[in-house]
Amino acid sequence: MTGPVPALDDRAAACAERLRAADSVLLASHIDADGLTSAAVAAAALERAGITFDVVFSKQLDTEEVASIAATDHGTVLFTDFGSGQLDIIAEHESAGDFTPVIADHHQPADADTEFHLNPLLFGLDGASELSGAGASYVLARALEPEDGDNRDLAALAIVGAVGDMQDGNDGLAGANAGIVEEGVAAGVVAEERDLALYGRQTRPLPKLLEYASEARIPGVSNDQAGSIRFLDGLDLDLKSGGEWRTWVDLSGEERRELVSALVKHAVSRGVPAHRIDSLVGTTYTLLDETEGTELRDVSEFSTLLNATARYERADVGLAVCLGDRGEALDRARTLLRNHRRNLSEGLQWVKNEGVTVEEHVQWFDAGTRIRETIVGIIAGMAVGVDGIDSRLPILAFAEKNDEELKVSSRGSHVLTRQGLDLSVVMREASRAVGGDGGGHDVAAGATIPRTEREAFVDEADRIVGEQLD
Ligand code: C5P
Ligand code: C5P
Ligand code: C5P
Ligand code: ZN
C-alpha cells in the first residue's frame, strides 16, 4: 500500500501469513494514543481474519514484562508500537522457544533481529515522521485483509496514532503516512483540509479555542480570556447561538474565512512574526464517520482523549472507544479527559514556576511526584518554548516511577536532529551507563534509571548530546 516501499509490504505479507498460521495470538501494545490505535487496528484486522487473540497493554516493555508475556499460553505474540527497542530481550525468548514474535513498531531497534519484524526504519523510512506504530499496524492490517475484505477504513485510526505521536507538520502527514491518508480519503473515512490549525475546533467554544491555543502566542488573545472575548465581540459576525458561544465547526466557510483573516490582521498588528502567523492555518484531518462536535471527529482531540485513558491505567476504555463503543466507554473516557487536562495544565504551571536547570548542552527538571511519570513527556514537550525555557536545548524531564526508579523523558526539535541530535541513543546509552534502560526516537525518547543516579545520568546525557551536536 505504501507504493514506494514494496519491501515493507512484502514483510507485512510474511507477518500476516505467520499470524494466520497461529493457534492463538497475544496482542501486546503500548499505553499511549499511538499504542492504543495500533492495538485497535490490529485487533480489528485479526478479528476480521478470524484469528483468535487476547490483548494486553504495557507501560514499558522490560525484562519482567516480556517474561510475563512469555508465561502465557500463546505461541505467537504480536507486539505493536513497541518491541523493536527490546528486540534483544524478545530474541532470547524466541530462541528459548517461548513464543514466536511478530512486531509492528517504529522505534529505534535494539541490537538483534527477528524474521517477522515490520518497522519503517528497516526500509529507509523515518520512524519519527513517516510511519507510526498504528501506521505499521495498518500496513499489516492491509496484508491480513481477506480476499473479499477491505481494511482501508482502519486508516482513520492509523492517522489518529500518527498525529498522537506528533508525526504531522504544518503541511500534514508525509511519507508512508501520506499514503495512508490517501487510502482513508478514498475509503471515505477521512477528510484532509487546510483550516485553522488550533487545538479544539470540534469541542471548544470560540473564546476558549483562542484563549487556550497558547502555541499561537498572539498577544491579547492567547492565554487571555478577556482579550479573546473582546477580539470576538469586535467582529461583525454572529458568533453566539441561544446565548452560547458557537464552536469552530459550527461556523460556515465564509464565517471561518472572516475570522481567520481578522485573527491574522490582529496578530500582524501585534508584531507576531510571519512564520508563526503562517502556522495559524495548516493541514487538518477530520474523521467523517464520527459525530460533528465530538472529540472523535478531530484526530488531535481524539488522540488526547486516548492518552487520557491509557496513561491512567484505563487502556481498556480507550480501546473500546477505538473499536466503536460510543456509550459507556466514551462517557468514561470524557471523565478521564477532564482529569488529564487538569493534570497537563497543573503540571505545565508547576514547570513554569520552578523553571529548569541549564547544563552545557541540555536543560532538565525533576518533578518528583508532582507529575505522573506517564505524562511527564507530554508536559516536557509543551514546556519547550514557554517563557524561560529555551527551545534550542533538548529538555530532560524526571518523575518518580517508584521507590527505586526514576522515569526520564526527553524532547528535542527537528532543528536539532538535523544537526545530529539522536535522543534514542542518548537515552539508551546514558541510562545503560547508570544501570537503567531506554530508547525511542531521535526527537523524543525516554528511559528508566535508578533513583540515586540522576546526577550521573544528566552528566552522561550532557556529554553525549555535546558529542552529537559537535
Ligand atoms: O512511544 P511513542 O513513539 O508512541 O511516542 C512518541 C512520543 O514522541 C510522543 O509522546 C510524541 O509527543 C513525541 N514526539 C515529539 N515531537 C516530535 C515527534 C514525537 O515530542 N516531533
Ligand atoms: O495529549 P497529547 O500529547 O495528545 O496532546 C497533544 C497536544 O495537544 C499537546 O502537546 C497540547 O499542545 C495540546 N493540548 C491542548 N490542550 C489540552 C490537551 C492537549 O492544547 N488540554
Ligand atoms: O515516555 P515518553 O513520552 O517520554 O517516551 C518518548 C519515546 O521514548 C516514546 O516513543 C517511548 O516509547 C520511548 N521510550 C522508550 N524506552 C523507555 C521510555 C520511553 O523507548 N524506557
Ligand atoms: Zn508510537
Side-chain angles (χ1 to χ4, degrees), residues 322-372:
C322 287
L323 293 175
D325 185 329
R326 298 290 173 267
E328 209 178 309
L330 182 56
D331 286 346
R332 183 81 206 136
R334 284 180 170 144
T335 306
L336 289 161
L337 178 60
R338 282 192 288 279
N339 172 57
H340 179 49
R341 284 196 195 297
R342 188 170 55 241
N343 289 343
L344 288 182
S345 118
E346 287 174 6
L348 186 60
Q349 196 52 52
W350 184 86
V351 179
K352 284 183 188 166
N353 292 344
E354 299 292 315
V356 295
T357 305
V358 180
E359 308 287 344
E360 211 175 330
H361 305 288
V362 300
Q363 55 192 334
W364 60 274
F365 66 85
D366 184 350
T369 56
R370 300 300 190 103
I371 299 176
R372 238 180 123 84

Side-chain angles (χ1 to χ4, degrees), residues 151-194:
N151 280 341
R152 288 179 311 167
D153 59 318
L154 302 176
L157 289 169
I159 294 165
V160 174
V163 170
D165 263 10
M166 296 174 69
Q167 299 206 329
D168 58 330
N170 186 258
D171 291 329
L173 292 163
N177 279 324
I180 298 179
V181 171
E182 264 176 46
E183 295 195 355
V185 170
V189 293
V190 59
E192 182 179 41
E193 288 156 312
R194 296 291 290 174

Side-chain angles (χ1 to χ4, degrees), residues 253-290:
E254 189 47 40
E255 288 170 323
R256 289 184 200 183
R257 275 187 294 278
E258 275 191 43
L259 213 159
V260 168
S261 103
L263 194 61
V264 167
K265 222 158 108 192
H266 173 94
V268 171
S269 76
R270 296 302 188 96
V272 176
H275 73 272
R276 276 217 321 266
I277 290 178
D278 290 344
S279 67
L280 284 173
V281 171
T283 300
T284 62
Y285 299 101
T286 305
L287 302 190
L288 300 174
D289 288 340
E290 303 298 342

Side-chain angles (χ1 to χ4, degrees), residues 28 40 43 52 54 56 67 118 175 181 247 258 276 278 292 326 369 375 384 434 456:
T52 314
D54 282 334
V56 290
L118 181 65
V181 171
T247 59
E258 275 191 43
R276 276 217 321 266
D278 290 344
E292 192 145 287
R326 298 290 173 267
T369 56
I375 63 165
V384 173
V434 300

Side-chain angles (χ1 to χ4, degrees), residues 1 8-17 19-20 45 49 118 136-147 151:
M1 71 99 232
L8 184 73
D9 294 334
D10 291 346
R11 183 63 59 87
C15 294
E17 199 173 327
L19 291 168
R20 282 197 202 96
L118 181 65
S137 302
Y138 176 80
V139 175
L140 178 63
R142 292 296 321 266
L144 276 169
E145 215 165 82
E147 294 220 338
N151 280 341

